[in-house]
Amino acid sequence: MRLIDAPSKDMADEMKKYLQQVLSKVDGLLCILITDRDGVPVLKVSADSAPELAMRPSFLSTFSMATEQGGKLGLGKNKSLICMYSSYQVVQINKLPLVISFIATSSCNTGHLLSLEHSIEPLLGDLKCAVAD
């Protein structure tokens, strides 16, 4: 992946500000990441208590591998992946070439996290234009 016309700094700052507002409104949400399919962060906002290991590209890139394997099973295109751990949950939403990742506490409402897709989707148009194969 390579960046073509990256969003201007002002536009990126506005997007981060919006994501920060979303982050602060959802109880238990610790991080919102928008990455490319390889797990490379394009936009990221997080609370101080967000687990650093879950925000690494090596962890985030597993979404692409899991999506590929699901496709090989004939299940169709994967829309989202939800991973529950003892203290955290990770919800990843397929918006290729981008992936939206929410990292939250295990007690955070998973349905609410999934519904955030609709409020974040308007940001993705500009970002998808910036990320090219």
Side-chain angles (χ1 to χ4, degrees), residues 16 19-20 22-23 29-36 39-47 50-61 63 89-95 98-104 116 120 123-124 127:
K16 279 188 173 186
L19 291 176
Q20 189 64 48
V22 172
L23 182 76
L29 182 57
L30 303 173
C31 182
I32 302 172
L33 281 146
I34 299 175
T35 63
D36 68 7
V40 177
V42 177
L43 273 179
K44 171 182 143 181
V45 294
S46 63
E52 193 64 39
L53 292 174
M55 296 185 286
R56 289 188 175 174
S58 58
F59 175 80
L60 296 169
S61 66
F63 177 80
Q89 63 179 299
V90 179
V91 176
Q92 294 179 296
I93 300 172
N94 188 2
K95 293 291 180 182
L98 300 171
V99 176
I100 305 170
S101 299
F102 300 106
I103 301 169
L116 292 176
I120 292 177
L123 295 178
L124 301 181
L127 293 175

Side-chain angles (χ1 to χ4, degrees), residues 103-118:
I103 301 169
T105 61
S106 58
S107 61
C108 185
N109 185 322
T110 307
H112 192 182
L113 295 177
L114 289 168
S115 72
L116 292 176
E117 171 186 358
H118 304 295

Side-chain angles (χ1 to χ4, degrees), residues 1-4 97 128-133:
M1 298 231 140
R2 61 184 173 85
L3 291 179
I4 301 175
K128 282 182 180 179
C129 291
V131 178
D133 288 356

Side-chain angles (χ1 to χ4, degrees), residues 68-87:
E68 239 177 72
Q69 294 305 312
K72 289 178 183 177
L73 294 173
L75 299 173
K77 184 179 174 184
N78 186 17
K79 294 181 182 179
S80 61
L81 181 68
I82 302 168
C83 300
M84 300 294 287
Y85 301 96
S86 60
S87 300

